[in-house]
Amino acid sequence: MVNEPGGHGGPNPCLEGSSIGRESSKVSSRCSTRTLKPERRERLREKMRRRMESGDKWFSLEFFPPRLAEGAADLISGFDQMGAGGPLFIDVTWHPAGDPGSDKATSSMTIASIAVNYCGLETVLHMTCCCQSQEKITCHLHKAKRLGLKNILALRGDPVGDQWKEEEGGFCYALDLVKHIRSEFGDYFDIGVAGYPKGHPDAGSFESDLKFLKEKVSAGADFIITQLFFEADTFCHFVKACSEIGITCPILPGIFLIQNYHSLQQLVKLSKLEVPQQIKDKIEPIKDNDAAIFNYGIDQAVSLCQKLLASGLVPGLHFYTLNRTMAAIQVLKRLGMWTEDPRRFLPWAVSAHPKRWEEDVRPIFWASRPKSYIYRTQEWDEFPKGRWGNCSSPAFGELKDYYVFYLKSTSLKEEELLKMWGEELSSEESVFEVFTHYLSGEPNQNGCQVTCLPWNDKPLAPGTSLMKEKLLRVNRRGVLTINSQPNINGQPSSHPVVGWGPSGGYVFQKAYLEFFTSPRTVKALLQVLKKYELRVNYHVVDVKGENITNAPELQPNAVTWGIFPGREIIQPTVVDPVSFMFWKDEAFALWIKQWAKLYDKESPSQEIIQYIHDNYFLVNLVDNDFPLDNCLWQVIEDTFELLDRPPQTDREMEAT
């Protein structure tokens, strides 16, 4: 996509402007978790079982909800990066003091729901007995189910004060919570429980704690995640002891990454664990040097994980990230377990909500804003499968300026956006320059790189150099591109840039271009398009909804499709005339809601953005002859040529 980062949305823009034929390409042997088709419909325990049978080690990551909405926005924006490395799942902790079951931006329920629905991540939600009645827990579980969450880590939880206080009508033990979940929800949830390699601090003995763990598994727990520990022998002894009493479910070691002295002290205090003397001896001399402790923590974690993996007792590794993912990524890369893979199940970012498992068709318009599309269609009971079909009234919900959409651009401060988009605009050409700086990657007059636009939340993919000159030329002339894809004629589905879907297939695309432009340019464009009437379909619409098109009424146009062994043709991306009118509202609104709002009311800068919003048109073009060279760039060039001619009367222009 133009203005689309590679690997998550639509096809990569680096091949824009050329017809791409069959070429072999080298790809890695393993897709990331989110894009393996067999895993899309599997339960978490089934994924674990399959990976254990194949000997394919996995990793998982734990996060906690930040206290502030800004911190939640930063955490959410990092989920896509963490998902790219291929975790089997992530889990989100539950803190009673933070109103964890609410709809607040910082609640555990909200963070976990966003990870599932908008980031496509298999997610485990912690649930504790602390400060909750049985009725309240049941309500939280029903809400989790409604939001698409299918995995619960059932815990007693830490007491709010120094001593555990029994909640009236509640549970005192995780065992009771596991039994309750199975009683009320049957087999819907996969359930994890905690294990303590040295025994729970409140248990009478290691043996009695193991017996209690066995009861939790017998009551319905599917897997165990251990408390942190510092030595591999501790975990190996624990696993063998579990095996001896008949515990056979997966046991994941909880890996704590030492990143600074304070966090180590705090976590040890909470977990009531003793730090081995050899680690103390290493830490004490450098306790005031955060960089040195960070590097030591990486080395210590890598060494521990290598020993665990070599033991043959570990199916996967679970990392307590403390929301600091850099250390976890470094450790995983050194272990060879961080495996970013460009292949995608579909050419757009999928959701992990169970009701969307069958979804395989979407309009192309939201390619750079997939989270917005998911939000606006979240109330649908069914989703298109196989084909979009004719839909005269799709029920798109209203898009609110909601914390869910704190993507990279909306989580930036206004001062940062002003430096990118112009602290003061003097003309429409000032806006053109913002688009061209975004495309070129060169610093603007403020010395600032434009890393996002209201319609595109992330920087361009590196491969855009092959199409950069064409894009820069049209944007300098006021054809402000927000979305595009090249024509593709039978690329292997394994292609690292444009490939998607199962191995052994071939993918196809029609060239597509979407942009804002002025009334004058539209007038010339419509004249030019008469020469391409049989080849190019177009929609030209203004903010009021006045639509000019040559497309058959209500007929969707498939612009991406794939052919795979033993399967029907899949057409995951369409240009749908009805959906385009809903997208139009969103696309025009972004001029005001994200850009114009940065300036003082009635200032020249705000008036320029307001003028573009009120007068420009949103245009999409489709070149239906995908085996031929993309003609859309020539359409734009012909338009510029017409604009550059000496002024003509309307009659002369029509004759031309």
Side-chain angles (χ1 to χ4, degrees), residues 75-96:
L75 178 62
I76 292 164
S77 67
F79 279 165
D80 286 334
Q81 178 195 13
M82 298 307 295
L88 186 66
F89 66 89
I90 70 164
D91 67 316
V92 180
T93 63
W94 184 275
H95 296 287

Side-chain angles (χ1 to χ4, degrees), residues 425-428 431 603-612:
L425 303 174
S426 59
S427 64
E428 293 167 57
V431 175
S603 65
S605 297
Q606 189 181 81
E607 288 178 353
I608 289 168
I609 299 298
Q610 187 71 52
Y611 175 83
I612 292 174

Side-chain angles (χ1 to χ4, degrees), residues 15 19-25 486-500 502 504-509 561-564:
L15 302 171
S19 181
I20 305 169
R22 293 177 176 86
E23 297 176 2
S24 62
S25 60
N487 55 314
I488 296 176
N489 187 19
Q491 266 288 352
S493 60
S494 58
H495 191 282
V497 177
V498 298
W500 55 272
Y506 293 91
V507 296
F508 303 79
Q509 290 180 174
W561 63 99
I563 300 173
F564 306 96

Side-chain angles (χ1 to χ4, degrees), residues 186-200:
D187 202 39
Y188 176 81
F189 290 106
D190 283 8
I191 302 175
V193 293
Y196 297 84
K198 288 194 172 183
H200 193 282

Side-chain angles (χ1 to χ4, degrees), residues 123 149 184 203 251-252 338 370 486 511 548 645 653:
T123 304
L149 293 159
E184 292 292 320
I251 303 175
L252 307 183
W338 183 266
I548 305 169
R645 290 179 186 175
M653 184 171 284

Side-chain angles (χ1 to χ4, degrees), residues 526-539:
L526 291 172
Q527 290 297 316
V528 169
L529 284 170
K530 292 177 181 179
K531 297 189 299 182
Y532 297 86
E533 191 71 26
L534 298 178
R535 181 169 175 176
V536 177
N537 285 128
Y538 59 84
H539 295 84

